[in-house]
Amino acid sequence: EAAVTQSPRNKVAVTGGKVTLSCNQTNNHNNMYWYRQDTGHGLRLIHYSYGAGSTEKGDIPDGYKASRPSQENFSLILELATPSQTSVYFCASGEGQYEQYFGPGTRLTVL
Amino acid sequence: QQQVRQSSQSLTVWEGETAILNCSYENSAFDYFPWYQQFPGEGPALLIAIRSVSDKKEDGRFTIFFNKREKNLSLHIKDSQPGDSATYFCAASVLNYAQGLTFGLGTRVSVFP
C-alpha cells in the first residue's frame, strides 16, 4: 500500500531555533506538498514540489523553506521558528492534479 | 476570502439518518472536488471525489451532488454510522497541473447511536 511517513511526529522548539520536518513517500509520486492545519483556517498549502530538485511556493510560504533532494523525500524548514508557526503540519504526495495521499502529521510547538 | 466554504462547522445526526454536508466555491476554474475524511490524530484521507463534468458521484453510502451553475456541492452520508464520526473537508483544485488543493474549513460530524 502507498505510504507517506513524517518525522518527527511531535516536536517542541524554541523561538529563533531551526526546525526541519521530514517527509518520505513510497508512492513513487512526482508531486509532494506541505500543508499546515489550524483551527479556524483548515488546511493551507505552504510549499509543493513537482519532482526532485524543484520547490514551489504555495499560499502561505513566508517563514518556511522547502527542500526536495530526491523523489521520495521532501523537507520543510523553519530557519527561525516563531510561536505563530505552532501548528500541525501534513505532508502529502500525489500525481497530476488529483488525489493526494496524506501523512499522519507532525505536531509542532514553538515556545 | 475563503475560496471554498463549508456551511456548517458541525453537524449531529442519529445513527441511520442521512447526513448532508454543504460546500460552495468561488473560483469558476475549479474542476475537481474531493471530499476528505479526517479522524482525530490522523491525516486526511480521500473519501470520494467528483469532476465538474458530472453532477453526481456515488460510492457506497457516500454521494456527491454537484451544481456547476450554482457553484455548490453536497456530500450525503446515507445510513450514518457512529464510525462515520469525523471531520469532513470539501476541497477543490484548478486545471493547473500539480498545484495543491484548496480546502474548506471542515465540518465535524457526530453520529450518535
Side-chain angles (χ1 to χ4, degrees):
Chain A
E1 170 145 340
V4 178
T5 56
Q6 296 182 230
S7 63
R9 293 296 313 278
N10 291 281
K11 173 77 178 176
V12 179
V14 296
T15 297
K18 182 177 180 178
V19 177
T20 301
L21 307 182
S22 300
C23 177
N24 177 275
Q25 56 112 350
T26 58
N27 303 328
N28 199 31
H29 288 153
N30 285 321
N31 308 323
M32 295 186 75
Y33 309 86
W34 276 107
Y35 295 88
R36 63 178 283 177
Q37 184 173 36
D38 304 283
T39 303
H41 291 280
L43 285 140
R44 293 178 291 173
L45 181 66
I46 306 170
H47 283 289
Y48 61 101
S49 168
Y50 293 113
S54 92
T55 61
E56 305 289 337
K57 292 180 179 178
D59 298 322
I60 54 163
D62 292 347
Y64 302 94
K65 290 167 125 174
S67 174
R68 182 88 182 270
S70 65
Q71 177 85 339
E72 299 78 21
N73 295 295
F74 191 37
S75 298
L76 185 68
I77 303 150
L78 290 66
E79 295 276 6
L80 294 168
T82 68
S84 65
Q85 293 175 312
T86 293
S87 186
V88 180
Y89 292 85
F90 288 99
C91 175
S93 74
E95 202 62 56
Q97 72 171 122
Y98 300 119
E99 182 171 358
Q100 294 182 18
Y101 296 88
F102 283 78
T106 293
R107 183 172 295 276
L108 173 66
T109 303
V110 183
L111 302 175
Chain B
Q1 183 181 4
Q2 195 70 23
Q3 289 210 50
V4 176
R5 288 199 188 89
Q6 294 184 243
S7 59
S8 304
Q9 284 189 316
S10 62
L11 178 67
T12 299
V13 296
W14 295 105
E15 185 175 0
E17 290 184 335
T18 296
I20 299 175
L21 290 70
N22 295 306
C23 178
S24 62
Y25 61 96
E26 298 288 328
N27 189 343
S28 300
F30 286 147
D31 80 330
Y32 173 68
F33 301 88
W35 284 86
Y36 279 80
Q37 180 188 55
Q38 185 179 29
F39 296 104
E42 298 182 10
L46 179 67
L47 183 65
I48 186 173
I50 193 168
R51 291 193 64 189
S52 59
V53 294
S54 302
D55 56 15
K56 181 180 174 182
K57 178 73 176 291
E58 193 168 353
D59 185 355
R61 296 185 295 108
F62 301 92
T63 303
I64 299 174
F65 293 94
F66 180 73
N67 186 325
K68 187 172 183 176
R69 186 174 59 87
E70 298 292 330
K71 291 197 275 189
N72 60 45
L73 61 158
S74 60
L75 173 68
H76 291 225
I77 307 174
K78 198 166 40 176
D79 186 24
S80 296
Q81 303 297 309
D84 297 329
S85 297
T87 299
Y88 293 81
F89 291 95
C90 175
S93 68
V94 298
L95 290 169
N96 293 331
Y97 178 69
Q99 289 193 9
L101 295 162
T102 299
F103 285 85
L105 298 185
T107 297
R108 179 176 290 182
V109 174
S110 300
V111 182
F112 289 104

